Amino acid sequence: MMKPLGLIQPQSDRPVRWPLFLGRSTIAATTLTGLFTYGCGQTATTPGQAKAPAIAVTQIVEHPSLNAVRDGLKAELIQAGYQPDQTLKWQWESAQGNPSLAAQIAKKFAGDNPNVVVAISTPSAQAVAAAAPKLPLVFSTVTDPLGAKLVSNLQKPGGLITGVSDLTPVDKHLQLITQITPKVKRIGVLYNAGESNSVSLVKLLKAAAANQKLEVVEATVANTSEVANAAKSLIGRTDAIYIPTDNTAVSALESVIQVGVQNKLPVYAGDNDSVERGAIASLGFDYYDVGRQTGKLVVRVLRGEKPGEIAVETPTKLNLTINAKSAQQMGVTVPEKVLSQAAKVIK
Amino acid sequence: MTTLVLSSLIAPDALDRLIVPLSGALELGLLYGLVAIGVYVSFRVLNFPDLTVDGSFPLGAAVAATLIVKGVNPIAATVVAMLAGAIAGLCTAWLNVQLKILNLLASILTMIALYSINLRIMGQPNVPLLGQTTVMTLLEGGLKQLPSVLSPFGTSLVLLAIVVLVKLGGDRFFRSELGLAMRATGENSDMARAQGIATHHIVLLGMALSNGLVALAGALFAQVNGFADVTLGVGTIVFGLAAVIIGETVVSGTTIFWATLGAIVGSILYRIAVTMALNTDFLGLETQDLNLVTAILVALALVLPQYKRIKWRFR
């Protein structure tokens, strides 16, 4: 006997008349029909494509940066002469932020047996490495491939895995900060302790700061609504705020910029988009370029190189972006020498 | 249509394409079958809408992964993970029965707290288990003995054994005096109290049991899929509910035996439906639409029993 869940309140004594097609058996029938069509769907894609190399892309969530990686990857493959749906079998799945779905996508790829799997983000790459250990894997935007146990050596990964890490050059960022604002001794870093990438970055930031005799003050948040408060908590404890490539902090960047402008506290960022939104400066890379760099590795694998013999790469193309307007609002004068090196200056 | 299905089954490549994802669906289905039984205990038996599971699933993964990385025997780590889940369930139940916090709210509080606790336990948001000794690698030698037809299903067989044990144990428990008292408490707590049942203790026990099972699923998930992540719990309750409800739709029966079987079957069918969504352009559906489809399915199933009850009244 079925018992109501108690989540729905009976609305009135008047009987609700539901359309007949909403029966329980309908759900069962739909599932079964689906299962049946599943078998048919298989054949529709197989004929005529036996020779074309297949590439399967898995991505943890749809997000502008990650989508840019995917688009860059596709563009690079097209430039190398692989035309999706003609000379290349291209397949893409998003796990919608759900790691269990990422695992299931990985298992599906294991069955499809493509020539190369591209995994965008750490959990997606880990899921593929566990579910499809026999497939060549090129990962992208994995900040710490060693820490994620994807490879044991960055120069010679061995096995079937290589890729592009999206590690931002935090040491260069610190140099940039002290170049623009030499008086800065304490740097506040605002990030979400629940994001792997950020935790790795802050660890590196601390090590780099120790080398440059700088002090790091941490402010962690769990979601975007806490960012404004965390930024305020840094007032008086720091000489500048640095926002790494942290999804939560970057999502609520404007609230940090506001704190910076009101308190003449310079705000720096790890990515160039944040500079467009109001941070003073960054030495960042474009996720589209990371995608293209990933694509170059994929092409090498498709042409017969063993992934394990290709060194893991970090973004090669770095652009200095400066927001002169924000600098002025935060009471900072950017030295001419730095300005002249900028790829883009926002006025 | 039939010939199409047959021809796709005959090509060896196509066979792989069908079997490997299906084995994946079976693995995850069985794993989440434990979640479904847990959700069955809280939702259906105790009538307690419990969102703790969104936190206790990653809790199980976090505890097991952290202990395994530290060198603890994976079986012991799994047991500790299960106990941790049980404690989380106790917290929710305690907030509810002792502090009189509304049940849904009590479970949300524990869930929120578990996010921080899980981060503390792991010390970082993601603990990789690739290359570590896990419950699965312990059994690897035995699994290699399997005939090649069954080899993609090795992990599923191990999980099946665990799920069957849990199911039969659960069935036995619910036929015992204590189990019957739990069912009575969920059905009508005033009546149960009048019969001399210590309903508060029963709720504590039931919630510990439910979340212990969910944490066990989390611990096994981490070991099968090679990582524990702080975001692992997203939507666990919805998947659990979907499984319970699909199960009730497909397996109709009035006894506990059929109900727990339904939960497991529902979970597997749900995962097969996901595999289907990943594999076909059936109805133009894509992976991106999956959350929407799940929500509609669960909403429908929440509404349907109400319709049934009303129909009976007018019979």
Side-chain angles (χ1 to χ4, degrees), chain A residues 269-293:
Chain A
D271 64 302
N272 292 340
D273 289 337
S274 295
V275 177
E276 308 241 353
R277 287 166 65 191
I280 292 180
S282 176
L283 195 59
F285 53 78
D286 196 339
Y287 276 92
Y288 182 82
D289 291 332
V290 172
R292 297 215 61 150
Q293 206 177 340

PDB file of all heavy atoms in Angstrom, chain A residues 269-293:
ATOM      1  N   ALA A 269      43.527  40.239  -9.119  1.00  0.00           N
ATOM      2  CA  ALA A 269      42.837  38.987  -9.432  1.00  0.00           C
ATOM      3  C   ALA A 269      43.756  38.022 -10.174  1.00  0.00           C
ATOM      4  O   ALA A 269      44.843  38.407 -10.625  1.00  0.00           O
ATOM      5  CB  ALA A 269      41.599  39.271 -10.277  1.00  0.00           C
ATOM      6  N   GLY A 270      43.294  36.793 -10.279  1.00  0.00           N
ATOM      7  CA  GLY A 270      44.077  35.759 -10.948  1.00  0.00           C
ATOM      8  C   GLY A 270      43.698  35.570 -12.411  1.00  0.00           C
ATOM      9  O   GLY A 270      44.339  34.817 -13.125  1.00  0.00           O
ATOM     10  N   ASP A 271      42.614  36.238 -12.822  1.00  0.00           N
ATOM     11  CA  ASP A 271      42.198  36.070 -14.221  1.00  0.00           C
ATOM     12  C   ASP A 271      41.850  37.419 -14.822  1.00  0.00           C
ATOM     13  O   ASP A 271      41.492  38.359 -14.112  1.00  0.00           O
ATOM     14  CB  ASP A 271      41.008  35.128 -14.300  1.00  0.00           C
ATOM     15  CG  ASP A 271      39.791  35.687 -13.618  1.00  0.00           C
ATOM     16  OD1 ASP A 271      39.880  35.977 -12.402  1.00  0.00           O
ATOM     17  OD2 ASP A 271      38.763  35.845 -14.271  1.00  0.00           O
ATOM     18  N   ASN A 272      41.938  37.504 -16.141  1.00  0.00           N
ATOM     19  CA  ASN A 272      41.767  38.788 -16.823  1.00  0.00           C
ATOM     20  C   ASN A 272      40.319  39.263 -16.851  1.00  0.00           C
ATOM     21  O   ASN A 272      40.063  40.458 -16.852  1.00  0.00           O
ATOM     22  CB  ASN A 272      42.334  38.704 -18.243  1.00  0.00           C
ATOM     23  CG  ASN A 272      43.844  38.570 -18.220  1.00  0.00           C
ATOM     24  OD1 ASN A 272      44.484  38.912 -17.219  1.00  0.00           O
ATOM     25  ND2 ASN A 272      44.421  38.073 -19.291  1.00  0.00           N
ATOM     26  N   ASP A 273      39.374  38.327 -16.860  1.00  0.00           N
ATOM     27  CA  ASP A 273      37.968  38.739 -16.861  1.00  0.00           C
ATOM     28  C   ASP A 273      37.647  39.569 -15.624  1.00  0.00           C
ATOM     29  O   ASP A 273      36.875  40.520 -15.672  1.00  0.00           O
ATOM     30  CB  ASP A 273      37.052  37.507 -16.904  1.00  0.00           C
ATOM     31  CG  ASP A 273      37.107  36.827 -18.258  1.00  0.00           C
ATOM     32  OD1 ASP A 273      37.465  37.510 -19.232  1.00  0.00           O
ATOM     33  OD2 ASP A 273      36.806  35.620 -18.330  1.00  0.00           O
ATOM     34  N   SER A 274      38.254  39.180 -14.488  1.00  0.00           N
ATOM     35  CA  SER A 274      38.001  39.898 -13.244  1.00  0.00           C
ATOM     36  C   SER A 274      38.554  41.317 -13.311  1.00  0.00           C
ATOM     37  O   SER A 274      38.044  42.211 -12.638  1.00  0.00           O
ATOM     38  CB  SER A 274      38.622  39.158 -12.061  1.00  0.00           C
ATOM     39  OG  SER A 274      37.987  37.915 -11.905  1.00  0.00           O
ATOM     40  N   VAL A 275      39.614  41.515 -14.100  1.00  0.00           N
ATOM     41  CA  VAL A 275      40.168  42.861 -14.261  1.00  0.00           C
ATOM     42  C   VAL A 275      39.172  43.724 -15.037  1.00  0.00           C
ATOM     43  O   VAL A 275      38.937  44.876 -14.699  1.00  0.00           O
ATOM     44  CB  VAL A 275      41.535  42.807 -14.971  1.00  0.00           C
ATOM     45  CG1 VAL A 275      42.071  44.207 -15.197  1.00  0.00           C
ATOM     46  CG2 VAL A 275      42.515  41.997 -14.142  1.00  0.00           C
ATOM     47  N   GLU A 276      38.549  43.117 -16.042  1.00  0.00           N
ATOM     48  CA  GLU A 276      37.520  43.850 -16.784  1.00  0.00           C
ATOM     49  C   GLU A 276      36.396  44.262 -15.845  1.00  0.00           C
ATOM     50  O   GLU A 276      35.765  45.295 -16.013  1.00  0.00           O
ATOM     51  CB  GLU A 276      36.933  42.958 -17.897  1.00  0.00           C
ATOM     52  CG  GLU A 276      37.996  42.336 -18.776  1.00  0.00           C
ATOM     53  CD  GLU A 276      37.887  42.756 -20.220  1.00  0.00           C
ATOM     54  OE1 GLU A 276      36.900  43.414 -20.541  1.00  0.00           O
ATOM     55  OE2 GLU A 276      38.799  42.429 -21.003  1.00  0.00           O
ATOM     56  N   ARG A 277      36.155  43.435 -14.837  1.00  0.00           N
ATOM     57  CA  ARG A 277      35.054  43.718 -13.905  1.00  0.00           C
ATOM     58  C   ARG A 277      35.481  44.638 -12.766  1.00  0.00           C
ATOM     59  O   ARG A 277      34.659  44.957 -11.912  1.00  0.00           O
ATOM     60  CB  ARG A 277      34.503  42.412 -13.345  1.00  0.00           C
ATOM     61  CG  ARG A 277      33.679  41.642 -14.371  1.00  0.00           C
ATOM     62  CD  ARG A 277      33.421  40.218 -13.926  1.00  0.00           C
ATOM     63  NE  ARG A 277      32.596  40.147 -12.732  1.00  0.00           N
ATOM     64  CZ  ARG A 277      32.414  39.030 -12.053  1.00  0.00           C
ATOM     65  NH1 ARG A 277      32.974  37.910 -12.444  1.00  0.00           N
ATOM     66  NH2 ARG A 277      31.664  39.029 -10.962  1.00  0.00           N
ATOM     67  N   GLY A 278      36.742  45.004 -12.687  1.00  0.00           N
ATOM     68  CA  GLY A 278      37.115  45.993 -11.680  1.00  0.00           C
ATOM     69  C   GLY A 278      38.350  45.726 -10.844  1.00  0.00           C
ATOM     70  O   GLY A 278      38.736  46.585 -10.048  1.00  0.00           O
ATOM     71  N   ALA A 279      38.983  44.566 -10.959  1.00  0.00           N
ATOM     72  CA  ALA A 279      40.233  44.352 -10.236  1.00  0.00           C
ATOM     73  C   ALA A 279      41.330  45.169 -10.930  1.00  0.00           C
ATOM     74  O   ALA A 279      41.205  45.495 -12.112  1.00  0.00           O
ATOM     75  CB  ALA A 279      40.604  42.881 -10.219  1.00  0.00           C
ATOM     76  N   ILE A 280      42.403  45.509 -10.196  1.00  0.00           N
ATOM     77  CA  ILE A 280      43.399  46.419 -10.767  1.00  0.00           C
ATOM     78  C   ILE A 280      44.195  45.753 -11.903  1.00  0.00           C
ATOM     79  O   ILE A 280      44.342  46.333 -12.976  1.00  0.00           O
ATOM     80  CB  ILE A 280      44.360  46.923  -9.664  1.00  0.00           C
ATOM     81  CG1 ILE A 280      43.589  47.834  -8.699  1.00  0.00           C
ATOM     82  CG2 ILE A 280      45.535  47.678 -10.274  1.00  0.00           C
ATOM     83  CD1 ILE A 280      44.421  48.395  -7.585  1.00  0.00           C
ATOM     84  N   ALA A 281      44.704  44.545 -11.659  1.00  0.00           N
ATOM     85  CA  ALA A 281      45.550  43.935 -12.684  1.00  0.00           C
ATOM     86  C   ALA A 281      45.609  42.425 -12.540  1.00  0.00           C
ATOM     87  O   ALA A 281      45.342  41.881 -11.469  1.00  0.00           O
ATOM     88  CB  ALA A 281      46.966  44.501 -12.599  1.00  0.00           C
ATOM     89  N   SER A 282      45.955  41.773 -13.618  1.00  0.00           N
ATOM     90  CA  SER A 282      46.180  40.338 -13.575  1.00  0.00           C
ATOM     91  C   SER A 282      47.075  39.917 -14.727  1.00  0.00           C
ATOM     92  O   SER A 282      47.137  40.586 -15.763  1.00  0.00           O
ATOM     93  CB  SER A 282      44.871  39.575 -13.656  1.00  0.00           C
ATOM     94  OG  SER A 282      45.153  38.190 -13.704  1.00  0.00           O
ATOM     95  N   LEU A 283      47.756  38.821 -14.511  1.00  0.00           N
ATOM     96  CA  LEU A 283      48.545  38.218 -15.566  1.00  0.00           C
ATOM     97  C   LEU A 283      47.856  36.886 -15.831  1.00  0.00           C
ATOM     98  O   LEU A 283      48.129  35.881 -15.183  1.00  0.00           O
ATOM     99  CB  LEU A 283      49.974  38.013 -15.051  1.00  0.00           C
ATOM    100  CG  LEU A 283      51.061  37.719 -16.072  1.00  0.00           C
ATOM    101  CD1 LEU A 283      51.172  38.824 -17.090  1.00  0.00           C
ATOM    102  CD2 LEU A 283      52.386  37.536 -15.359  1.00  0.00           C
ATOM    103  N   GLY A 284      46.908  36.920 -16.737  1.00  0.00           N
ATOM    104  CA  GLY A 284      46.046  35.741 -16.846  1.00  0.00           C
ATOM    105  C   GLY A 284      46.090  35.087 -18.206  1.00  0.00           C
ATOM    106  O   GLY A 284      46.670  35.606 -19.151  1.00  0.00           O
ATOM    107  N   PHE A 285      45.442  33.935 -18.265  1.00  0.00           N
ATOM    108  CA  PHE A 285      45.334  33.252 -19.543  1.00  0.00           C
ATOM    109  C   PHE A 285      43.871  33.189 -19.936  1.00  0.00           C
ATOM    110  O   PHE A 285      42.983  33.398 -19.120  1.00  0.00           O
ATOM    111  CB  PHE A 285      45.950  31.858 -19.487  1.00  0.00           C
ATOM    112  CG  PHE A 285      45.425  31.010 -18.374  1.00  0.00           C
ATOM    113  CD1 PHE A 285      44.199  30.392 -18.471  1.00  0.00           C
ATOM    114  CD2 PHE A 285      46.162  30.848 -17.202  1.00  0.00           C
ATOM    115  CE1 PHE A 285      43.707  29.620 -17.444  1.00  0.00           C
ATOM    116  CE2 PHE A 285      45.663  30.077 -16.165  1.00  0.00           C
ATOM    117  CZ  PHE A 285      44.446  29.465 -16.286  1.00  0.00           C
ATOM    118  N   ASP A 286      43.672  32.872 -21.192  1.00  0.00           N
ATOM    119  CA  ASP A 286      42.342  32.783 -21.732  1.00  0.00           C
ATOM    120  C   ASP A 286      41.975  31.301 -21.747  1.00  0.00           C
ATOM    121  O   ASP A 286      42.772  30.483 -22.223  1.00  0.00           O
ATOM    122  CB  ASP A 286      42.439  33.342 -23.157  1.00  0.00           C
ATOM    123  CG  ASP A 286      41.083  33.683 -23.711  1.00  0.00           C
ATOM    124  OD1 ASP A 286      40.105  33.128 -23.191  1.00  0.00           O
ATOM    125  OD2 ASP A 286      41.021  34.488 -24.648  1.00  0.00           O
ATOM    126  N   TYR A 287      40.791  30.947 -21.240  1.00  0.00           N
ATOM    127  CA  TYR A 287      40.427  29.526 -21.227  1.00  0.00           C
ATOM    128  C   TYR A 287      40.293  28.958 -22.639  1.00  0.00           C
ATOM    129  O   TYR A 287      40.521  27.779 -22.870  1.00  0.00           O
ATOM    130  CB  TYR A 287      39.151  29.303 -20.410  1.00  0.00           C
ATOM    131  CG  TYR A 287      39.446  29.192 -18.942  1.00  0.00           C
ATOM    132  CD1 TYR A 287      39.422  30.308 -18.109  1.00  0.00           C
ATOM    133  CD2 TYR A 287      39.811  27.978 -18.377  1.00  0.00           C
ATOM    134  CE1 TYR A 287      39.728  30.207 -16.773  1.00  0.00           C
ATOM    135  CE2 TYR A 287      40.121  27.866 -17.046  1.00  0.00           C
ATOM    136  CZ  TYR A 287      40.075  28.984 -16.237  1.00  0.00           C
ATOM    137  OH  TYR A 287      40.393  28.880 -14.919  1.00  0.00           O
ATOM    138  N   TYR A 288      39.952  29.841 -23.578  1.00  0.00           N
ATOM    139  CA  TYR A 288      39.877  29.397 -24.966  1.00  0.00           C
ATOM    140  C   TYR A 288      41.266  28.938 -25.437  1.00  0.00           C
ATOM    141  O   TYR A 288      41.402  27.893 -26.077  1.00  0.00           O
ATOM    142  CB  TYR A 288      39.355  30.551 -25.829  1.00  0.00           C
ATOM    143  CG  TYR A 288      39.191  30.209 -27.291  1.00  0.00           C
ATOM    144  CD1 TYR A 288      38.062  29.538 -27.742  1.00  0.00           C
ATOM    145  CD2 TYR A 288      40.164  30.562 -28.218  1.00  0.00           C
ATOM    146  CE1 TYR A 288      37.909  29.221 -29.077  1.00  0.00           C
ATOM    147  CE2 TYR A 288      40.021  30.259 -29.560  1.00  0.00           C
ATOM    148  CZ  TYR A 288      38.884  29.586 -29.985  1.00  0.00           C
ATOM    149  OH  TYR A 288      38.736  29.275 -31.307  1.00  0.00           O
ATOM    150  N   ASP A 289      42.307  29.711 -25.037  1.00  0.00           N
ATOM    151  CA  ASP A 289      43.674  29.328 -25.414  1.00  0.00           C
ATOM    152  C   ASP A 289      44.078  28.009 -24.752  1.00  0.00           C
ATOM    153  O   ASP A 289      44.798  27.205 -25.340  1.00  0.00           O
ATOM    154  CB  ASP A 289      44.671  30.419 -25.012  1.00  0.00           C
ATOM    155  CG  ASP A 289      44.491  31.685 -25.842  1.00  0.00           C
ATOM    156  OD1 ASP A 289      44.024  31.561 -26.989  1.00  0.00           O
ATOM    157  OD2 ASP A 289      44.795  32.778 -25.335  1.00  0.00           O
ATOM    158  N   VAL A 290      43.620  27.804 -23.494  1.00  0.00           N
ATOM    159  CA  VAL A 290      43.899  26.533 -22.812  1.00  0.00           C
ATOM    160  C   VAL A 290      43.260  25.388 -23.592  1.00  0.00           C
ATOM    161  O   VAL A 290      43.854  24.323 -23.772  1.00  0.00           O
ATOM    162  CB  VAL A 290      43.385  26.561 -21.354  1.00  0.00           C
ATOM    163  CG1 VAL A 290      43.487  25.199 -20.708  1.00  0.00           C
ATOM    164  CG2 VAL A 290      44.160  27.582 -20.547  1.00  0.00           C
ATOM    165  N   GLY A 291      42.047  25.647 -24.099  1.00  0.00           N
ATOM    166  CA  GLY A 291      41.368  24.641 -24.910  1.00  0.00           C
ATOM    167  C   GLY A 291      42.166  24.321 -26.169  1.00  0.00           C
ATOM    168  O   GLY A 291      42.314  23.158 -26.553  1.00  0.00           O
ATOM    169  N   ARG A 292      42.715  25.373 -26.797  1.00  0.00           N
ATOM    170  CA  ARG A 292      43.511  25.155 -28.020  1.00  0.00           C
ATOM    171  C   ARG A 292      44.775  24.370 -27.690  1.00  0.00           C
ATOM    172  O   ARG A 292      45.163  23.460 -28.423  1.00  0.00           O
ATOM    173  CB  ARG A 292      43.861  26.505 -28.652  1.00  0.00           C
ATOM    174  CG  ARG A 292      42.603  27.242 -29.079  1.00  0.00           C
ATOM    175  CD  ARG A 292      42.764  28.042 -30.315  1.00  0.00           C
ATOM    176  NE  ARG A 292      43.113  27.300 -31.488  1.00  0.00           N
ATOM    177  CZ  ARG A 292      42.741  27.671 -32.715  1.00  0.00           C
ATOM    178  NH1 ARG A 292      41.971  28.716 -32.866  1.00  0.00           N
ATOM    179  NH2 ARG A 292      43.134  27.001 -33.769  1.00  0.00           N
ATOM    180  N   GLN A 293      45.384  24.716 -26.540  1.00  0.00           N
ATOM    181  CA  GLN A 293      46.595  23.998 -26.125  1.00  0.00           C
ATOM    182  C   GLN A 293      46.277  22.517 -25.879  1.00  0.00           C
ATOM    183  O   GLN A 293      47.033  21.629 -26.263  1.00  0.00           O
ATOM    184  CB  GLN A 293      47.126  24.662 -24.851  1.00  0.00           C
ATOM    185  CG  GLN A 293      48.609  24.487 -24.630  1.00  0.00           C
ATOM    186  CD  GLN A 293      49.081  25.237 -23.380  1.00  0.00           C
ATOM    187  OE1 GLN A 293      48.408  26.158 -22.910  1.00  0.00           O
ATOM    188  NE2 GLN A 293      50.208  24.842 -22.855  1.00  0.00           N
TER     189      GLN A 293
END
